């Protein structure tokens, strides 16, 4: 096993992983552990594989108030990393009870978390702040039980920002957890909220929540605060009983040109509906797959001015008069609704392009 230590606060440690293959899965050790008060940058060259034992992340960095930051990059665009966490350890991020703060700005990344831990993010019983940016490609970030694909571990929040030209090819949450966002509910004080920002040219190809978890947002019973802006493309599906995107109708924010989307929940413990707000000056694409037309997101408004929506709950009877609900997959139907006109005097641009 390898320990990378940036001992003092002002230390800047740069390490290259080149065709490294470390398998510590038979021992209670981390394949690679990043420690210290200083910042560590890992450059990826060639194909790298890390597998850790019980209680540890594949590439472990347990963030504390005094520890430094971890950045994974690939300046030469020739590197990849496959990281597998042990029982209760994230693929990349926190070990058991460890917070998994990490920035990924490059490389092809595959990460699988152990039970209760995120693929990328928090370990069992801890959260995470994850930034994915630059030209990073997340080929697959996954968990099978209680942890988010990207975000929080069991019972904890996931704060995730995806920006630049980053691409998420696949992200899958474990049972009760979001694909991107919060981990599964554990107890009343350990819920698993998801705070997610997707912006600039980021592309989200396929995100799947675990059973009852959102595709992007909170885990079961958790709240989802999701903002999507810029020239982004998003394809997300909730688990059985979970919203595709977001969960909390009181968290929506509409900007200069905004889209509010709605998906009802008819089964499972997650009742009510989800609200999504997106701010954009360019074209915006929204895809919700694996959902029958009656459960699809519905475009209900374009805002001309920045506004808070303290209560964005919808009147279904009023909505039914504006839209042919069962044909909500038809963009042309939605565009004919009078409420969707972006008035020129408000300085609004043309409505975002939406595929439902």
């Amino acid at each position: 096993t390898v320990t990378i230590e940036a001992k003092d606060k002002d230390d800047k440690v740069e390490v290259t992983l080149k065709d490294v293959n470390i398998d510590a899965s038979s021992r209670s050790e981390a394949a690679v552990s990043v420690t210290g008060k200083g910042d560590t940058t890992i450059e990826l060259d060639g194909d790298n594989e890390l597998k850790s034992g019980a209680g540890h992340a594949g590439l472990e960095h347990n963030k504390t108030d005094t520890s430094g930051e971890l950045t994974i990059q690939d300046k030469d665009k020739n590197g990849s990393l496959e990281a597998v966490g042990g029982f209760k350890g994230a693929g990349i991020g926190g070990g058991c009870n460890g917070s998994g703060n990490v920035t990924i700005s490059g490389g092809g990344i595959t990460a699988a978390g152990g039970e209760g831990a995120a693929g990328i993010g928090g370990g069992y019983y801890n959260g995470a702040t994850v930034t994915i940016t630059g030209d990073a490609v997340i080929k697959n970030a996954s968990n099978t039980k209680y942890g988010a694909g990207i975000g929080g571990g069991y019972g904890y929040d996931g704060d995730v920002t995806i920006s630049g030209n980053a691409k998420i090819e696949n992200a899958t949450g474990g049972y009760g957890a979001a694909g991107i966002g919060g981990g599964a509910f554990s107890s009343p004080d350990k819920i698993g909220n998801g705070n997610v920002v997707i912006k600039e040219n980021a592309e989200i190809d396929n995100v799947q929540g675990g059973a009852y978890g959102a595709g992007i947002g909170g885990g079961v019973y958790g709240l989802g605060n999701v903002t999507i802006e810029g020239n982004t493309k998003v394809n997300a599906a909730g688990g059985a009983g979970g919203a595709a995107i977001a969960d909390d109708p009181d968290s929506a924010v509409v900007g200069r040109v905004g889209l509010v989307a709605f998906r009802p929940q008819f089964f499972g413990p997650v009742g009510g509906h989800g609200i999504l707000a997106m701010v954009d000056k360019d074209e915006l694409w929204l895809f919700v797959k694996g959902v029958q037309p009656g459960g699809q997101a519905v475009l209900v408004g374009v805002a001309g001015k920045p506004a808070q929506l303290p209560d964005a709950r919808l009147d279904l009877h009023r909505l039914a008069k504006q839209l042919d609900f069962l044909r909500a997959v038809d963009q042309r139907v939605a565009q004919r609704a009078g409420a969707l006109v972006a008035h020129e005097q408000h300085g609004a641009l043309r409505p975002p392009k939406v595929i439902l």
Side-chain angles (χ1 to χ4, degrees):
T1 64
V2 174
T3 298
I4 303 169
E5 183 180 19
K7 184 177 180 180
D8 297 321
K9 183 178 180 180
D10 294 329
D11 288 350
K12 305 290 183 184
V13 174
E14 297 183 3
V15 175
T16 297
L17 296 183
K18 184 175 181 179
D19 296 320
V20 171
N21 189 334
I22 300 175
D23 187 347
S25 58
S26 63
R27 310 182 298 277
S28 296
E29 297 176 347
V32 173
S33 179
V34 176
T35 65
K37 298 179 180 178
D39 297 338
T40 297
T41 299
I42 295 177
E43 169 73 20
L44 299 177
D45 285 350
D47 298 325
N48 301 278
E49 297 183 17
L50 306 175
K51 295 181 181 180
S52 291
H56 292 280
L59 173 52
E60 186 168 286
H61 179 242
N62 293 313
K63 187 71 173 71
T64 67
D65 292 339
T66 59
S67 64
E69 303 296 330
L70 170 62
T71 300
I72 299 171
Q73 66 180 26
D74 180 19
K75 287 186 176 181
D76 300 330
K77 298 183 179 180
N78 64 352
S80 67
L81 173 63
E82 179 178 349
V84 179
F87 182 65
K88 297 185 178 181
I92 299 173
C96 182
N97 298 316
S99 176
N101 293 14
V102 60
T103 296
I104 301 175
S105 63
I109 307 296
T110 301
E115 181 175 321
I120 301 173
Y124 184 88
Y125 271 169
N126 219 316
T129 299
V130 178
T131 300
I132 301 173
T133 189
D135 296 313
V137 177
I138 308 303
K139 295 184 175 298
N140 193 35
S142 63
N143 178 267
T144 58
K145 193 173 183 181
Y146 305 145
I150 302 173
Y154 187 29
Y156 277 79
D157 298 353
D159 297 332
V160 181
T161 300
I162 304 170
S163 63
N165 296 311
K167 183 176 183 180
I168 311 297
E169 293 186 352
N170 292 284
T172 305
Y175 184 90
I180 299 176
F185 172 93
S186 172
S187 62
D189 62 337
K190 294 180 175 64
I191 296 176
N193 302 317
N195 303 300
V196 182
V197 176
I198 302 171
K199 60 184 180 178
E200 296 168 356
N201 296 312
E203 182 174 340
I204 315 298
D205 285 350
N206 181 44
V207 176
Q208 174 69 58
Y212 308 120
I216 302 174
V220 57
Y221 299 128
L223 304 181
N225 185 5
V226 180
T227 299
I228 301 175
E229 59 187 10
N231 190 30
T232 58
K233 295 182 180 181
V234 178
N235 180 355
I245 304 176
D247 301 282
D248 178 21
D250 297 326
S251 67
V253 178
V254 174
R256 186 162 182 261
V257 175
L259 165 71
V260 177
F262 162 82
R263 178 175 184 256
Q265 302 297 318
F266 296 116
F267 53 93
V270 184
H273 48 260
I275 293 294
L276 166 68
M278 288 180 265
V279 184
D280 192 32
K281 64 180 180 179
D282 302 309
E283 289 187 353
L284 183 65
W285 296 77
L286 172 67
F287 306 84
V288 181
K289 75 170 190 176
V291 179
Q292 295 298 318
Q296 282 282 356
V298 178
L299 183 62
V300 296
V302 175
K305 295 180 179 180
Q308 295 285 338
L309 300 181
D311 187 352
R313 292 177 176 84
L314 302 178
D315 181 340
L316 290 179
H317 295 291
R318 175 175 57 82
L319 179 62
K321 293 178 182 179
Q322 294 181 348
L323 300 174
D324 180 353
F325 192 69
L326 294 179
R327 293 180 63 207
V329 293
D330 188 339
Q331 180 189 1
R332 292 169 297 176
V333 173
Q335 286 179 332
R336 288 202 297 268
L340 304 183
V341 176
H343 295 289
E344 193 172 85
Q345 61 265 33
H346 289 164
L349 303 178
R350 60 190 174 85
K353 184 178 290 185
V354 180
I355 304 295
L356 294 174

